[in-house]
Amino acid sequence: MSFIDDAKHWATMPIPAAGRGGADDALYEAMPVPELAALWCRLQGLGLRDQTDADWAATLYFDHLPHDAADRALDMVLAVLASEAELRVKMQLAEKFMSALIYNQSPRLIDRLEAEAATHPRLRWLLGAVHWWAPSRELKLRLARLADEGAWRVDEVARDTPALRIDFAALPLDVLARAWVEQHVKPEKDRDANWHALVDFERELLEQRPDRALDLVLAVLAIETHPAVLSLLAAGLLQDLIGPDTIGRVEREARADARFRALVGTVWYHDGPEELRERLDAVVKEARA
């Protein structure tokens, strides 16, 4: 397997889900395809603060569907494409669902895809985003002949171009914290070039200005209380910035701020250097006292 094939394999793997199945999956498997498509479309409109346990169960079902039931998955794709859902929702099909279907099931589905594409312009449009995920050269060529990549790219540029580009590096800290929250809580379908710019900016902070990254963590903590947002903050920016050069300040801030101590207590650090683990253990012990 080549490096690219290996990357495709891991990118399309379903989310590990111990205990998945049972009543939830039975409910989704019994749904008529139009209802299933409507549920999938509804999930695309949910932001980080909107997720419930039921939404997560449905998300897991859809994440596994392209692996478990190829024809039902394609039926759902066609139903979504034929629906009145907004274009951004339909474009979410390409983010993982359709790429997983093409990578894992195109040998089985290729004849049907060719037949459906003959009368479905929207399917040809969607294939414009994912045809290259096919696992063999022959399948790539067959799907490329169906794909309307030009039409997809036009819509992709329109989706990704924000009305106003944000220069995150130029923002005052309080404004940056609000922008960070706004970008992270919006539904994935509404992400644009500003989202990608923020991801790059966070990486730059972590690599070059970890103290500024910690400033941002504290500023977000000062304005945000939602557990899902704080979990994301801890598992992402905070966890990534903690290291030998920042642990001293992390300890000082934790002593001064009970909420920050609690946030540090949710960071996964058990595979770090021994001295770092011991110092974080002390912070966590104090947070739980």
Side-chain angles (χ1 to χ4, degrees):
M1 182 179 288
S2 71
F3 170 77
I4 292 176
D5 289 334
D6 192 49
K8 286 181 177 180
H9 170 75
W10 288 109
T12 57
M13 286 286 288
I15 301 167
R20 173 183 160 264
D24 287 330
D25 276 11
L27 173 67
Y28 305 134
E29 288 164 5
M31 277 186 181
V33 169
E35 288 184 29
L36 198 68
L39 174 59
W40 184 89
C41 290
R42 185 186 71 79
L43 292 175
Q44 309 317 304
L46 301 180
L48 184 59
R49 294 186 180 120
D50 305 317
Q51 298 280 345
T52 66
D53 289 343
D55 295 328
W56 179 243
T59 296
L60 288 177
Y61 172 78
F62 286 121
D63 194 60
H64 286 254
L65 184 57
H67 303 266
D68 298 341
D71 282 295
R72 183 165 171 82
L74 182 53
D75 288 342
M76 195 205 80
V77 167
L78 295 173
V80 171
L81 293 176
S83 74
E84 296 299 317
E86 66 172 309
L87 187 63
R88 281 179 172 269
V89 168
K90 294 177 181 180
M91 294 183 83
Q92 283 299 108
L93 286 168
E95 289 301 309
K96 185 176 181 184
F97 192 94
M98 193 64 175
S99 55
L101 189 63
I102 293 298
Y103 181 73
N104 293 282
Q105 305 287 3
S106 55
R108 175 179 175 178
L109 292 175
I110 185 61
D111 291 338
R112 185 179 171 198
L113 286 165
E114 288 175 330
E116 297 283 3
T119 56
H120 287 75
R122 272 299 180 197
L123 179 57
R124 296 196 294 274
W125 165 83
L126 181 59
L127 288 171
V130 299
H131 62 88
W132 57 275
W133 283 91
S136 73
R137 182 174 182 275
E138 177 191 357
L139 287 168
K140 286 186 178 76
L141 290 172
R142 290 176 70 175
L143 289 171
R145 286 194 287 269
L146 306 176
D148 188 352
E149 188 167 351
W152 172 268
R153 297 304 173 198
V154 168
D155 289 330
E156 183 180 50
V157 169
R159 179 196 63 185
D160 293 346
T161 304
L164 179 65
R165 291 187 180 271
I166 302 173
D167 181 358
F168 292 100
L171 297 179
L173 184 60
D174 59 335
V175 180
L176 177 60
R178 291 195 297 272
W180 187 95
V181 171
E182 179 184 354
Q183 292 295 320
H184 280 283
V185 302
K186 66 172 56 176
E188 287 187 20
K189 72 178 180 65
D190 294 328
R191 291 175 178 173
D192 54 26
N194 284 329
W195 160 261
H196 298 292
L198 178 58
V199 171
D200 290 341
F201 177 66
E202 288 185 42
R203 186 181 304 112
E204 178 186 328
L205 287 182
L206 290 168
E207 292 175 354
Q208 301 177 21
R209 304 173 64 194
D211 260 327
R212 182 64 170 175
L214 184 50
D215 290 340
L216 177 55
V217 168
L218 294 168
V220 171
L221 185 62
I223 63 172
E224 185 58 55
T225 59
H226 196 284
V229 180
L230 296 182
S231 293
L232 176 68
L233 182 66
L237 201 55
L238 179 56
Q239 181 170 305
D240 291 341
L241 70 83
I242 292 177
D245 295 335
T246 58
I247 184 61
R249 185 177 170 202
V250 167
E251 290 169 325
R252 292 193 299 274
E253 299 289 355
R255 285 194 292 269
D257 186 337
R259 290 189 69 224
F260 183 67
R261 283 199 303 277
L263 191 68
V264 173
T266 64
V267 168
W268 180 263
Y269 59 88
H270 301 286
D271 55 354
E274 182 178 356
E275 181 183 353
L276 188 65
R277 292 199 312 270
E278 290 175 352
R279 294 173 71 172
L280 286 167
D281 281 343
V283 173
V284 171
K285 183 177 180 180
E286 187 175 351
R288 293 173 179 170

